[in-house]
Amino acid sequence: MNITKEQIDDLNAIVKVAIDKSDYQDKVDKILKDYRKQANIPGFRKGQVPLGLIKKQYGRAVLVDEVNKLLQDNLNKYLTEEKLDVLGNPLPKQQDNFDWDTEELAFEFELGLAPEFEVPLKTKKAITQYKIVADKKMVDEQVERILKQYGKLVNKEIVGKKDEVTGTFVNEAEEIEHRTTLELDKIKSKKALDALVGSKVGDTVKLNTKGLFKEDYLLSSALDITQEKAKGLKIDVDFTISEINEREPAEMNQDLFDKLFGKDTVKSEKELKERIKKDSEKQFEQQSDQKLLNDVTEYFIENTKFDLPTGFLTKWIQMTGEEPLTEEKAKEEFEKSEKGLRYQLIEGKIIKDNDLQVQFDELKEFAKGFIKSQMAQFGQMNPQEEELENIAARVLGNQDEVKRLSEQLMSQKLLNLYKEKANLKTKEVTYENFVKEVYG
């Protein structure tokens, strides 16, 4: 067997494979002899079918199969040994009236080659790294929510401006009948507030759904309808009051602190606010990190210039899908996937140049950290090491989970690299301003 490469240009090449009859004939003959031993053909005893008949019936199929195996194995070996960085897979060139009976079989494959390029991590343009801070307003609001959450309900006879009112919404035409509890401090409509305040148990108040709540998403849960139906809904609904409660805030004392953070972890209102600020900002880090990763990714895609073997890749998409595509459709598919392909190449280059690797031990520790954070959400703050080891072993026994966690860990390694090497400018913002600036 002889394999040679003809370089067309920097991004395209042809690999030629010449297979001599001696490369496959022994294997073909052995398979056909085995077929003969097992063949059941009318008129012949088992194992006594003439080999010529076996060759006539099965010879071509066996030959093609063995040659394809040789092609696949040796072509892959050649690409690896020659260190050819190919995109997609080699595409066999169409050969009309191919003669399988010659002493030497010749095949040609088109290759699309990955481009050569550099990715300077020290970006020319400074990229914003957001540091989200919990300001006094946010901390005070969180303290107020905690006191309210851990407080107690006091039954009332008349609705006040900050009460919680339980009742049933009804609109027969829209088939709405749903019992819910309204927190009046979440009501936006002044007309609705005026109608509710001063009402008593048993009263029915007519409310209009348009602009009823400060947050639009609250309407769908209040009426038990879909978000789609709630969007822009403008109807009158009857709200019949069945219960009125005032939520009396909890006392700011050690008993509350212990319920929130464990015994004697926090011992004063000042320490409570410091802990809330610290915990909030820790949660914000994930959002600011994701924003930074997205922005660096976009920067590299926009500013790392290289050509792709567009013609080859379009042809590859056209020929290798579940169903063959027209050339026009293949071009559309390539255009859709080009940005993702470019970043795959850029990311691969960064990983290779900076020798970023995911070792099993660090993957296991990463998995344990992920498991620990999941358990904390359900109140298990201090799981035993043995328990974490056992759960991690089960998780890492699932190849899909290994792939998912490996990708997350590599993203973390890339993020750390960008924080160290990229040209970043830190911008300190409140969470409210971060949302406005990033999401509009």
Side-chain angles (χ1 to χ4, degrees), residues 159-244:
V159 178
K161 289 185 178 180
K162 293 186 177 181
D163 292 342
E164 296 180 11
V165 184
T166 300
T168 303
F169 278 111
V170 174
N171 180 297
E172 291 184 5
E174 296 292 334
E175 297 182 341
I176 292 172
E177 184 174 348
H178 183 60
R179 179 181 168 87
T180 190
T181 297
L182 301 179
E183 297 177 45
L184 263 63
D185 58 3
K186 293 181 179 178
I187 299 290
K188 178 182 179 181
S189 167
K190 184 177 183 303
K191 186 175 180 180
L193 279 172
D194 290 343
L196 287 164
V197 173
S199 299
K200 300 177 181 178
V201 172
D203 287 353
T204 297
V205 180
K206 191 174 291 295
L207 306 173
N208 192 277
T209 58
K210 183 174 175 59
L212 180 58
F213 293 100
K214 293 178 181 177
E215 301 290 344
D216 291 339
Y217 73 90
L218 293 172
L219 183 62
S220 65
S221 59
L223 301 183
D224 193 29
I225 59 176
T226 64
Q227 289 280 0
E228 185 179 359
K229 183 175 180 179
K231 189 175 181 179
L233 186 66
K234 185 179 179 181
I235 60 171
D236 287 330
V237 286
D238 291 331
F239 183 69
T240 302
I241 299 171
S242 56
E243 189 177 337
I244 304 166

XYZ file of all heavy atoms in Angstrom, residues 159-244:
665
model
N -58.523 45.347 55.150
C -57.298 45.335 54.344
C -56.529 46.644 54.506
O -57.093 47.729 54.343
C -57.624 45.116 52.851
C -56.339 45.155 52.015
C -58.346 43.803 52.641
N -55.216 46.507 54.830
C -54.315 47.653 54.883
C -53.376 47.647 53.697
O -53.313 46.684 52.921
N -52.560 48.698 53.533
C -51.738 48.877 52.334
C -50.644 47.829 52.162
O -50.181 47.594 51.055
C -51.109 50.267 52.350
C -52.113 51.390 52.106
C -51.408 52.731 52.013
C -52.392 53.848 51.712
N -51.728 55.174 51.614
N -50.197 47.209 53.275
C -49.083 46.253 53.169
C -49.495 44.843 53.575
O -48.647 44.011 53.873
C -47.917 46.724 54.027
C -47.274 48.009 53.532
C -46.029 48.355 54.331
C -45.356 49.610 53.775
N -44.118 49.941 54.527
N -50.781 44.572 53.541
C -51.270 43.266 53.985
C -51.176 42.206 52.895
O -50.890 42.502 51.732
C -52.727 43.386 54.462
C -52.834 44.199 55.744
O -51.808 44.368 56.418
O -53.949 44.667 56.056
N -51.424 40.950 53.302
C -51.543 39.833 52.377
C -53.007 39.414 52.375
O -53.579 39.125 53.426
C -50.653 38.662 52.807
C -49.177 39.004 52.775
C -48.290 37.846 53.199
O -48.805 36.707 53.317
O -47.091 38.066 53.416
N -53.612 39.401 51.195
C -55.042 39.145 51.067
C -55.254 37.873 50.266
O -54.819 37.772 49.119
C -55.764 40.329 50.380
C -57.251 40.074 50.342
C -55.450 41.635 51.087
N -55.909 36.904 50.875
C -56.229 35.652 50.188
C -57.655 35.719 49.676
O -58.562 36.176 50.381
C -56.070 34.453 51.137
O -54.727 34.400 51.604
C -56.410 33.139 50.430
N -57.832 35.255 48.431
C -59.166 35.296 47.847
C -59.194 34.532 46.542
O -58.217 33.887 46.152
N -60.313 34.626 45.841
C -60.500 33.873 44.594
C -60.804 34.813 43.441
O -61.712 35.645 43.526
C -61.648 32.861 44.743
O -61.362 31.990 45.837
C -61.814 32.040 43.474
N -60.008 34.685 42.378
C -60.244 35.432 41.143
C -61.264 34.678 40.291
O -61.164 33.456 40.120
C -58.951 35.575 40.330
C -58.056 36.692 40.784
C -56.835 36.436 41.388
C -58.436 38.017 40.592
C -56.003 37.463 41.784
C -57.609 39.061 40.992
C -56.394 38.785 41.594
N -62.214 35.404 39.711
C -63.217 34.769 38.843
C -63.478 35.643 37.616
O -63.635 36.865 37.736
C -64.549 34.537 39.598
C -65.614 34.004 38.634
C -64.357 33.564 40.749
N -63.480 34.988 36.451
C -63.978 35.593 35.222
C -64.542 34.446 34.400
O -63.798 33.648 33.822
C -62.867 36.321 34.444
C -63.375 36.957 33.158
O -63.835 36.253 32.263
N -63.274 38.281 33.066
N -65.856 34.331 34.350
C -66.499 33.174 33.715
C -66.213 33.109 32.217
O -65.988 32.029 31.663
C -68.012 33.228 33.960
C -68.396 32.987 35.416
C -69.904 32.952 35.614
O -70.634 33.024 34.597
O -70.343 32.851 36.769
N -66.180 34.252 31.553
C -65.964 34.273 30.103
C -64.603 33.691 29.736
O -64.446 33.007 28.719
C -66.101 35.687 29.563
N -63.590 33.960 30.572
C -62.230 33.460 30.309
C -61.951 32.159 31.064
O -60.821 31.665 31.065
C -61.194 34.526 30.723
C -61.253 35.803 29.924
C -60.815 35.599 28.477
O -60.036 34.659 28.220
O -61.251 36.385 27.614
N -62.988 31.600 31.697
C -62.874 30.348 32.467
C -61.774 30.435 33.540
O -60.989 29.521 33.723
C -62.610 29.169 31.523
C -63.749 28.927 30.538
C -63.497 27.720 29.638
O -62.335 27.303 29.528
O -64.465 27.201 29.061
N -61.776 31.575 34.231
C -60.802 31.793 35.307
C -61.505 31.649 36.647
O -62.520 32.298 36.913
C -60.163 33.196 35.196
C -59.289 33.274 33.943
C -59.340 33.513 36.447
C -58.778 34.663 33.637
N -60.981 30.786 37.485
C -61.425 30.656 38.872
C -60.245 30.089 39.662
O -59.941 28.899 39.587
C -62.640 29.736 39.000
C -63.176 29.680 40.435
C -64.462 28.891 40.568
O -65.075 28.568 39.535
O -64.863 28.603 41.715
N -59.575 30.983 40.387
C -58.336 30.550 41.046
C -58.158 31.267 42.381
O -58.236 32.490 42.458
C -57.139 30.835 40.141
C -55.843 30.350 40.710
N -55.604 29.031 41.017
C -54.699 31.025 41.041
C -54.380 28.897 41.485
N -53.813 30.099 41.524
N -57.898 30.461 43.413
C -57.653 30.999 44.759
C -56.167 31.303 44.890
O -55.311 30.490 44.548
C -58.085 29.981 45.814
C -57.849 30.429 47.259
C -58.304 29.329 48.210
N -57.866 29.545 49.588
C -58.519 30.259 50.484
N -59.681 30.814 50.155
N -58.046 30.412 51.705
N -55.864 32.486 45.394
C -54.462 32.889 45.536
C -54.324 33.906 46.654
O -55.329 34.374 47.212
C -53.943 33.486 44.209
O -52.540 33.654 44.296
C -54.583 34.832 43.911
N -53.069 34.221 46.977
C -52.792 35.244 47.990
C -52.062 36.398 47.340
O -51.040 36.204 46.664
C -51.940 34.670 49.138
O -52.679 33.639 49.797
C -51.589 35.757 50.152
N -52.587 37.603 47.504
C -51.972 38.809 46.961
C -51.188 39.529 48.048
O -51.697 39.740 49.147
C -53.042 39.768 46.417
C -53.975 39.273 45.311
C -54.961 40.374 44.954
C -53.181 38.845 44.097
N -49.937 39.907 47.708
C -49.171 40.796 48.587
C -49.364 42.201 48.044
O -48.933 42.502 46.927
C -47.698 40.397 48.586
C -47.445 38.999 49.137
C -45.970 38.614 49.062
O -45.128 39.459 49.414
O -45.683 37.485 48.649
N -50.001 43.055 48.827
C -50.395 44.361 48.300
C -49.202 45.236 47.926
O -49.338 46.134 47.089
C -51.308 45.093 49.296
C -52.813 44.922 48.977
C -53.234 43.463 49.090
C -53.670 45.810 49.863
N -48.039 44.981 48.503
C -46.878 45.797 48.127
C -46.341 45.426 46.738
O -45.427 46.072 46.218
C -45.768 45.710 49.166
C -45.279 44.295 49.409
O -45.759 43.362 48.739
O -44.405 44.109 50.284
N -46.936 44.387 46.122
C -46.552 44.019 44.749
C -47.587 44.464 43.724
O -47.448 44.209 42.539
C -46.338 42.501 44.655
C -45.135 42.024 45.458
C -44.919 40.529 45.328
C -43.680 40.108 46.136
N -43.454 38.643 46.067
N -48.651 45.132 44.215
C -49.676 45.670 43.321
C -49.211 47.014 42.780
O -48.781 47.885 43.531
C -51.025 45.850 44.058
C -51.550 44.517 44.569
C -52.047 46.519 43.148
C -52.017 43.568 43.497
N -49.300 47.181 41.465
C -48.862 48.427 40.818
C -50.017 49.399 40.599
O -49.871 50.605 40.803
C -48.215 48.085 39.469
C -47.754 49.293 38.670
C -47.177 48.847 37.331
C -46.738 50.040 36.500
N -46.199 49.630 35.175
N -51.181 48.886 40.222
C -52.324 49.734 39.859
C -52.871 50.481 41.074
O -53.304 49.869 42.059
C -53.423 48.870 39.240
O -54.639 49.573 39.150
N -52.842 51.823 41.018
C -53.380 52.636 42.128
C -54.878 52.398 42.277
O -55.406 52.340 43.401
C -53.106 54.117 41.855
C -53.540 55.029 43.010
C -53.187 56.468 42.719
C -53.545 57.363 43.907
N -54.954 57.294 44.294
N -55.572 52.235 41.151
C -57.013 51.988 41.202
C -57.317 50.678 41.924
O -58.255 50.590 42.721
C -57.563 51.935 39.773
C -59.076 51.828 39.687
C -59.547 51.899 38.239
C -61.070 51.795 38.174
N -61.569 51.853 36.763
N -56.481 49.644 41.669
C -56.675 48.352 42.337
C -56.396 48.462 43.825
O -57.140 47.905 44.653
C -55.762 47.307 41.700
N -55.327 49.184 44.183
C -55.002 49.362 45.610
C -56.125 50.096 46.338
O -56.521 49.723 47.450
C -53.697 50.142 45.752
C -52.400 49.343 45.579
C -51.196 50.279 45.559
C -52.255 48.320 46.702
N -56.623 51.157 45.699
C -57.714 51.922 46.315
C -58.945 51.041 46.530
O -59.666 51.183 47.535
C -58.089 53.122 45.439
C -57.004 54.200 45.444
O -56.144 54.159 46.353
O -57.008 55.050 44.530
N -59.207 50.111 45.583
C -60.370 49.232 45.696
C -60.178 48.186 46.795
O -61.133 47.809 47.491
C -60.624 48.538 44.356
N -58.938 47.702 46.972
C -58.672 46.647 47.957
C -58.566 47.185 49.384
O -59.108 46.590 50.324
C -57.369 45.911 47.585
C -57.461 44.976 46.376
C -56.061 44.625 45.866
C -58.221 43.701 46.756
N -57.841 48.307 49.558
C -57.635 48.858 50.902
C -58.976 49.289 51.503
O -59.743 50.014 50.874
C -56.645 50.047 50.866
C -56.568 50.716 52.246
C -55.264 49.568 50.436
N -59.236 48.802 52.700
C -60.488 49.105 53.382
C -61.555 48.035 53.206
O -62.605 48.079 53.857
N -61.300 47.071 52.316
C -62.264 45.984 52.108
C -62.220 45.002 53.267
O -61.269 44.965 54.066
C -61.957 45.251 50.801
O -62.053 46.133 49.704
N -63.255 44.143 53.337
C -63.362 43.175 54.427
C -63.509 41.761 53.849
O -63.754 41.583 52.656
C -64.571 43.496 55.302
C -64.530 44.873 55.960
C -65.812 45.116 56.754
C -65.803 46.499 57.393
N -67.057 46.759 58.133
N -63.402 40.778 54.730
C -63.630 39.386 54.340
C -65.056 39.252 53.805
O -66.011 39.744 54.423
C -63.404 38.430 55.527
C -63.848 37.008 55.159
C -61.943 38.429 55.939
N -65.205 38.584 52.659
C -66.516 38.415 52.035
C -66.793 39.425 50.940
O -67.667 39.202 50.092
N -66.035 40.550 50.936
C -66.238 41.557 49.887
C -65.701 41.041 48.550
O -64.729 40.288 48.499
C -65.502 42.851 50.233
C -66.183 43.614 51.368
O -67.281 43.189 51.770
O -65.595 44.607 51.851
N -66.359 41.469 47.475
C -65.876 41.167 46.122
C -65.455 42.463 45.464
O -66.231 43.416 45.376
C -66.966 40.479 45.277
O -67.303 39.215 45.870
C -66.477 40.247 43.854
N -64.210 42.493 45.010
C -63.623 43.699 44.421
C -63.362 43.445 42.939
O -62.823 42.403 42.569
C -62.302 44.069 45.124
C -61.700 45.323 44.518
C -62.517 44.248 46.618
N -63.739 44.392 42.075
C -63.490 44.249 40.637
C -62.141 44.870 40.314
O -61.888 46.037 40.611
C -64.609 44.919 39.843
C -64.569 44.575 38.347
C -65.779 45.136 37.619
C -67.078 44.442 38.014
N -67.101 43.009 37.624
N -61.255 44.075 39.699
C -59.910 44.525 39.354
C -59.682 44.322 37.855
O -60.177 43.368 37.267
C -58.845 43.735 40.130
C -58.990 43.712 41.658
C -57.961 42.760 42.267
C -58.810 45.114 42.240
N -58.893 45.218 37.254
C -58.524 45.050 35.853
C -57.107 44.487 35.775
O -56.219 44.918 36.519
C -58.604 46.383 35.092
C -58.504 46.179 33.588
O -57.418 46.062 33.028
N -59.665 46.133 32.929
N -56.907 43.537 34.885
C -55.622 42.837 34.831
C -54.496 43.677 34.236
O -53.325 43.410 34.490
C -55.747 41.551 33.993
O -56.202 41.896 32.674
C -56.723 40.589 34.637
N -54.809 44.683 33.428
C -53.766 45.472 32.769
C -52.994 46.298 33.793
O -53.566 47.122 34.503
C -54.366 46.392 31.705
C -53.313 47.184 30.922
C -53.930 47.955 29.785
C -52.901 48.831 29.079
N -51.780 48.056 28.520
N -51.679 46.052 33.888
C -50.832 46.805 34.816
C -51.143 46.548 36.262
O -50.884 47.394 37.123
N -51.709 45.375 36.560
C -52.127 45.094 37.932
C -50.929 44.952 38.870
O -50.931 45.458 39.989
C -52.971 43.815 37.959
C -53.506 43.366 39.322
C -54.364 44.459 39.963
C -54.314 42.072 39.182
N -49.877 44.263 38.404
C -48.724 43.980 39.267
C -47.491 44.776 38.828
O -47.349 45.146 37.660
C -48.391 42.491 39.223
C -49.444 41.606 39.844
C -50.353 40.933 39.051
C -49.522 41.459 41.229
C -51.320 40.117 39.613
C -50.487 40.647 41.801
C -51.398 39.976 40.999
N -46.581 44.985 39.768
C -45.307 45.644 39.453
C -44.464 44.780 38.520
O -43.723 45.293 37.692
C -44.539 45.930 40.750
C -45.210 46.970 41.638
C -44.443 47.175 42.938
C -45.138 48.206 43.823
N -44.440 48.379 45.129
N -44.554 43.443 38.687
C -43.845 42.508 37.811
C -44.880 41.749 36.983
O -45.787 41.117 37.529
C -43.023 41.508 38.644
C -41.985 42.169 39.562
C -40.839 42.792 38.793
O -40.672 42.462 37.590
O -40.114 43.616 39.367
N -44.733 41.797 35.661
C -45.737 41.211 34.766
C -45.940 39.713 34.979
O -47.045 39.193 34.800
C -45.347 41.470 33.302
C -45.454 42.951 32.925
O -46.176 43.680 33.629
O -44.813 43.355 31.940
N -44.856 39.000 35.345
C -44.951 37.538 35.458
C -45.909 37.103 36.568
O -46.389 35.956 36.585
C -43.567 36.924 35.688
C -43.002 37.140 37.069
C -43.252 36.231 38.099
C -42.211 38.247 37.358
C -42.747 36.419 39.374
C -41.695 38.449 38.627
C -41.962 37.530 39.629
O -41.454 37.727 40.890
N -46.205 37.994 37.524
C -47.063 37.626 38.656
C -48.513 37.378 38.242
O -49.237 36.633 38.900
C -47.022 38.722 39.730
C -45.683 38.908 40.457
C -45.714 40.150 41.340
C -45.363 37.678 41.297
N -48.941 37.990 37.125
C -50.339 37.865 36.710
C -50.694 36.428 36.354
O -51.770 35.944 36.706
C -50.623 38.794 35.523
C -52.074 38.806 35.033
C -53.005 39.303 36.126
C -52.216 39.658 33.770
N -49.804 35.716 35.643
C -50.120 34.350 35.206
C -50.312 33.419 36.391
O -51.221 32.579 36.401
C -49.024 33.807 34.280
O -47.802 33.679 34.970
N -49.462 33.555 37.434
C -49.625 32.683 38.604
C -50.842 33.075 39.431
O -51.531 32.217 39.993
C -48.358 32.718 39.465
O -48.085 34.036 39.905
N -51.144 34.373 39.487
C -52.307 34.827 40.265
C -53.613 34.314 39.667
O -54.551 33.959 40.397
C -52.326 36.355 40.345
N -53.667 34.236 38.319
C -54.900 33.802 37.648
C -54.840 32.337 37.213
O -55.822 31.806 36.707
C -55.168 34.673 36.419
C -55.327 36.183 36.646
C -55.657 36.878 35.337
C -56.397 36.474 37.684
N -53.671 31.714 37.388
C -53.456 30.326 36.948
C -53.681 30.188 35.446
O -54.428 29.332 34.971
C -54.371 29.361 37.717
C -53.968 27.897 37.515
O -52.774 27.655 37.289
O -54.839 27.018 37.570
N -52.999 31.079 34.686
C -53.048 31.029 33.227
C -51.620 31.040 32.697
O -50.674 31.299 33.439
C -53.845 32.217 32.637
C -53.203 33.550 33.066
C -55.306 32.155 33.039
C -53.852 34.777 32.451
N -51.457 30.767 31.424
C -50.117 30.738 30.840
C -49.558 32.155 30.732
O -50.306 33.142 30.669
C -50.130 30.101 29.448
O -50.912 30.928 28.565
C -50.730 28.690 29.496
N -48.218 32.231 30.672
C -47.562 33.534 30.481
C -47.998 34.148 29.150
O -48.170 35.365 29.039
C -46.033 33.351 30.499
C -45.449 33.022 31.864
C -45.304 34.259 32.737
O -45.636 35.378 32.353
N -44.792 34.049 33.942
N -48.172 33.284 28.153
C -48.572 33.759 26.836
C -49.943 34.424 26.893
O -50.159 35.492 26.308
C -48.587 32.587 25.848
C -48.884 32.997 24.422
C -48.869 31.815 23.459
O -48.616 30.681 23.912
O -49.131 32.039 22.276
N -50.876 33.794 27.612
C -52.221 34.360 27.726
C -52.216 35.625 28.575
O -52.957 36.580 28.301
C -53.169 33.325 28.334
C -54.620 33.803 28.416
C -55.551 32.702 28.918
C -56.991 33.193 28.990
N -57.930 32.151 29.454
N -51.353 35.636 29.600
C -51.314 36.786 30.513
C -50.742 38.031 29.835
O -51.082 39.160 30.200
C -50.483 36.436 31.747
N -49.865 37.810 28.832
C -49.205 38.936 28.177
C -50.231 39.821 27.472
O -50.953 39.392 26.579
C -48.182 38.411 27.164
C -47.300 39.505 26.586
C -46.236 38.912 25.677
C -45.341 40.007 25.123
N -44.280 39.447 24.243
N -50.313 41.074 27.910
C -51.225 42.030 27.288
C -52.683 41.831 27.636
O -53.558 42.470 27.042
N -52.981 40.927 28.597
C -54.386 40.656 28.954
C -55.023 41.890 29.606
O -54.464 42.472 30.533
C -54.442 39.462 29.912
C -55.841 38.944 30.274
C -56.518 38.349 29.043
C -55.759 37.900 31.387
N -56.188 42.268 29.118
C -56.899 43.429 29.657
C -58.363 43.059 29.845
O -59.202 43.252 28.965
C -56.756 44.620 28.701
C -57.363 45.910 29.254
C -57.178 47.060 28.276
C -57.816 48.335 28.820
N -57.678 49.476 27.880
N -58.669 42.491 31.024
C -60.043 42.106 31.359
C -60.326 42.470 32.811
O -59.402 42.662 33.611
C -60.276 40.585 31.158
C -59.328 39.775 32.053
C -60.129 40.192 29.699
C -59.623 38.294 32.086
N -61.606 42.547 33.150
C -62.002 42.727 34.549
C -62.163 41.356 35.197
O -62.700 40.422 34.578
C -63.325 43.497 34.645
C -63.162 44.972 34.318
O -62.065 45.501 34.571
O -64.123 45.582 33.798
N -61.677 41.217 36.432
C -61.847 39.982 37.197
C -62.410 40.334 38.565
O -62.081 41.379 39.139
C -60.514 39.213 37.360
C -60.094 38.544 36.070
C -59.405 40.129 37.858
N -63.265 39.459 39.069
C -63.806 39.647 40.425
C -62.903 38.933 41.416
O -62.539 37.767 41.220
C -65.223 39.085 40.517
C -66.224 39.911 39.721
O -65.993 41.118 39.589
O -67.217 39.334 39.216
N -62.537 39.630 42.492
C -61.681 39.041 43.523
C -62.464 39.051 44.836
O -62.742 40.111 45.409
C -60.389 39.836 43.669
C -59.427 39.256 44.662
C -58.771 38.055 44.408
C -59.181 39.898 45.875
C -57.874 37.518 45.323
C -58.283 39.373 46.793
C -57.636 38.174 46.523
N -62.859 37.852 45.278
C -63.627 37.724 46.518
C -62.686 37.390 47.669
O -61.993 36.371 47.647
C -64.701 36.635 46.382
O -65.559 36.967 45.282
C -65.524 36.527 47.658
N -62.678 38.251 48.689
C -61.723 38.136 49.790
C -62.196 37.103 50.805
O -63.340 37.129 51.268
C -61.549 39.505 50.492
C -61.002 40.525 49.484
C -60.639 39.391 51.709
C -60.997 41.948 50.000
N -61.292 36.173 51.174
C -61.629 35.148 52.177
C -60.755 35.248 53.427
O -61.108 34.701 54.473
C -61.478 33.750 51.570
O -60.178 33.564 51.056
N -59.619 35.961 53.332
C -58.725 36.053 54.490
C -57.824 37.276 54.346
O -57.361 37.596 53.241
C -57.864 34.784 54.576
C -57.058 34.653 55.851
C -56.283 33.339 55.908
O -56.682 32.376 55.212
O -55.275 33.284 56.630
N -57.576 37.954 55.465
C -56.715 39.141 55.465
C -55.661 38.945 56.563
O -56.004 38.650 57.711
C -57.506 40.434 55.744
C -58.647 40.583 54.737
C -56.583 41.652 55.701
C -59.671 41.645 55.149
